[in-house]
């Protein structure tokens, strides 16, 4: 999802668009495709987890 916080020159694409692109792109094998999708999901999960902690820390600082 586009947040505007990316250091990449291009605007980040949302999860659905990225996964759809992965699924449409020919893969060397079914296992390779599953590995790519799994890596993408882990990356998104890690970013969401980190963002959640950041939000929680910001909220904790406000309540002090």
């Amino acid at each position: 999802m586009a947040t505007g916080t990316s250091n990449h020159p291009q605007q980040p694409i949302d999860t659905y668009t990225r996964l759809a692109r992965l699924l449409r792109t020919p893969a060397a094998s079914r296992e390779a495709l599953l590995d790519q999708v799994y890596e993408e999901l882990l990356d998104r999960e890690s970013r969401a987890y980190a963002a959640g902690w950041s939000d929680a820390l910001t909220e904790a600082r406000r309540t002090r």
Side-chain angles (χ1 to χ4, degrees):
M1 291 177 211
T3 61
T5 60
S6 175
N7 291 329
H8 301 290
Q10 295 178 332
Q11 191 72 331
I13 55 176
D14 68 21
T15 302
Y16 296 112
T17 303
R18 176 71 182 135
L19 290 175
R21 192 176 291 167
L22 281 173
L23 293 173
R24 284 193 304 262
T25 304
S29 69
R30 187 177 189 160
E31 186 175 320
L33 174 62
L34 290 173
D35 286 344
Q36 288 176 322
V37 170
Y38 185 69
E39 285 179 29
E40 183 71 23
L41 291 174
L42 283 178
D43 182 53
R44 300 295 174 154
E45 182 180 20
S46 295
R47 288 186 204 181
Y49 184 77
W53 272 107
S54 178
D55 291 346
L57 290 172
T58 300
E59 187 62 29
R61 288 183 188 122
R62 284 186 198 152
T63 59
R64 287 187 194 179

